[in-house]
Amino acid sequence: MRTTVTVNPCIDLTVRVPGRRMGELNLVDDSRTDICGKGVNVSVVLRALGMATIATGISFDGDDARLAEHLEAHTICRRFAVAHGNIRTNIKLVDEETGAMTEINHRGHSVGQPVINQYLRELR
């Protein structure tokens, strides 16, 4: 069993626009959201390769159900400590004419020592 760690998961909101115009109105052609985070992404790839994996880290109660559903869909075990708040959202703006992507990433929430201690107990 492989263990991955994601202490700052995210929701990527990818929007596609036909030619990005800074300072002007841009209409979205298509959009999608993906649950991400380095450890979460690694767990998904490991499962796709047939390996058992457990995803650990810190999640947030406002979106924890979405993270749980994503991991369950990939049959990945999970052990997350849960803090108050929402998982950070990152915006990926894709210019369909040039293929260029602009990223706008939130830093994420800080968590208190009780949540860190809970995570360390889960990790053990």
Side-chain angles (χ1 to χ4, degrees):
M1 169 100 42
R2 304 285 194 251
T3 301
T4 62
V5 177
T6 306
V7 294
N8 198 8
C10 62
I11 299 171
D12 280 354
L13 169 60
T14 304
V15 295
R16 298 184 174 282
V17 296
R20 178 186 59 215
R21 294 175 305 281
M22 297 305 287
E24 297 181 29
L25 174 66
N26 291 270
L27 297 177
V28 175
D29 272 356
D30 186 36
S31 68
R32 65 181 278 173
T33 58
D34 298 288
I35 301 291
C36 302
K38 300 294 189 276
V40 169
N41 296 348
V42 170
S43 278
V44 169
V45 170
L46 290 173
R47 273 310 285 145
L49 294 172
M51 295 181 204
T53 180
I54 183 168
T56 69
I58 297 173
S59 185
F60 295 88
D61 57 10
D63 300 298
D64 187 57
R66 289 185 70 185
L67 176 60
E69 287 173 15
H70 178 69
L71 295 172
E72 287 174 17
H74 292 281
T75 60
I76 296 169
C77 297
R78 66 188 300 267
R79 295 241 193 237
F80 280 78
V82 180
H84 181 67
N86 291 304
I87 294 174
R88 66 192 173 107
T89 299
N90 297 327
I91 301 166
K92 312 301 183 191
L93 179 61
V94 179
D95 182 334
E96 292 186 322
E97 290 178 5
T98 65
M101 180 172 66
T102 301
E103 298 183 64
I104 303 167
N105 291 353
H106 283 103
R107 294 188 177 171
H109 300 284
S110 60
V111 297
Q113 193 63 46
V115 174
I116 293 169
N117 292 342
Q118 178 191 358
Y119 170 67
L120 292 174
R121 283 191 303 274
E122 290 291 341
L123 184 60
R124 286 187 204 107

